[in-house]
Amino acid sequence: MLKPASTLLSRHHHEDRPSLIITPEMRLTLARTHEICGDARYTLALMIAARLQGPVLWIRPAWLTDQLNPCGMLHLVNPGRLIWAYCRREEDILWSMEEALRAGVVALVIAEMPTPPSLTPVRRLNLAAQTGSEFNHFAPLGLLLTPGDGGAAGVESRWHLAARDLSEQGGWCLSRRRARAEPPKSWEMHSEDGQLSLTPMTAQNTATAQGRERS
């Protein structure tokens, strides 16, 4: 069973700002914008959504031909919680995300970006999320989904998730690429009955995983 969001919040991280605890090793400061990249970024975004309550606004480029399969996400989150918004221009995606965070009417706003945004729009997103938290009983969380290794400037943290080789018992490789208060680090991640477990990767395993990502 997934724990309610109220039990997953901590005020003892990032200068006592409330955080969403995905695992003891992965904490996302609320009222801020974070970046998720890697081939399995959609999976990680859904895992995060499962740990919050209420509707989730998911903003996508209108020109994408692929669609997320509701049946494929049932084991992670109820697809009925997702509100889809489609934008015709890249700048409209950032504007829509900014307005949603400022309104503070949903706990989570996810935006798929074709390219990592620059510093100025990310700063605007962070300010909007902070404004949204001042007028509501919860602090909204913003997630930017970017291709490849990401690289959005000014995000609170950057996480990379890639599927591991099936010959290695499946699971994923989770890497913290950037965080304001934590060093880069990688873990082997597994999920069982909705619970995530992380095991630190050795230097050799990390190098092997990164080699596969580049191939």
Side-chain angles (χ1 to χ4, degrees), residues 70-145:
C71 295
M73 66 177 72
L74 273 173
H75 68 292
L76 295 173
V77 67
N78 180 358
R81 293 177 53 203
L82 303 184
I83 302 172
W84 302 99
Y86 296 89
C87 298
R88 295 183 178 180
R89 302 182 303 170
E90 186 170 344
E91 53 266 37
D92 293 338
I93 300 174
L94 292 169
W95 180 86
S96 300
M97 185 179 193
E98 181 181 338
E99 291 299 305
L101 290 172
R102 182 177 292 110
V105 294
V106 294
L108 179 62
V109 182
I110 302 172
E112 293 182 49
M113 299 299 303
T115 57
S118 59
L119 180 59
T120 298
V122 173
R123 281 179 172 173
R124 293 179 62 91
L125 293 175
N126 286 329
L127 289 174
Q130 184 61 43
T131 300
S133 69
E134 294 172 356
F135 297 98
N136 295 278
H137 66 282
F138 57 76
L141 180 68
L143 294 181
L144 291 169
L145 305 189

